[in-house]
Amino acid sequence: MFKKVITPFQTVLLQKRLCVGCTASLDKAKRLGKLSERRELIECKCKRRYVYSKEFNEYQRATFQEEQQFLRELNKRPLL
Ligand SMILES: [Zn+2]
């Protein structure tokens, strides 16, 4: 039941380009890097991670798979 109540609220916040946890503007969130040509992983100051879709110009919660994919990409190249 709890999930049914909270989900539309989170959707509204994301449509307004706000973090669902702390309601900070996601346009100001830190860009962590590209997942693909059209998708960027970003991290809010509260450490929640999102995916920005250039195609749709919107934010989504990053899935566990997307975070793992990003971490694998990071490990491939040396951090200079
Ligand atoms: Zn936040």
Side-chain angles (χ1 to χ4, degrees):
M1 282 311 278
F2 181 69
K3 209 168 188 178
K4 278 183 180 171
V5 176
I6 200 77
T7 301
F9 180 63
Q10 293 195 349
T11 306
V12 168
L13 284 174
L14 284 175
Q15 280 169 353
K16 291 182 179 176
R17 313 167 79 77
L18 301 173
C19 173
V20 301
C22 68
T23 70
S25 170
L26 290 175
D27 289 324
K28 291 174 189 158
K30 186 166 66 173
R31 261 63 185 164
L32 291 181
K34 280 186 177 182
L35 287 169
S36 69
E37 275 308 304
R38 294 177 172 184
R39 291 161 73 77
E40 271 183 72
L41 192 71
I42 66 163
E43 185 180 82
C44 181
K45 60 186 176 184
C46 69
K47 301 296 177 195
R48 282 179 177 77
R49 286 174 179 171
Y50 298 86
V51 172
Y52 173 64
S53 165
K54 287 182 183 172
E55 193 174 1
F56 301 109
N57 188 29
E58 68 179 19
Y59 294 96
Q60 296 150 4
R61 290 298 299 271
T63 63
F64 179 74
Q65 284 87 347
E66 285 167 332
E67 290 197 20
Q68 293 304 304
Q69 180 196 337
F70 175 72
L71 291 174
R72 272 199 305 273
E73 293 292 323
L74 265 191
N75 289 332
K76 276 184 204 165
R77 45 191 130 103
L79 290 170
L80 293 173

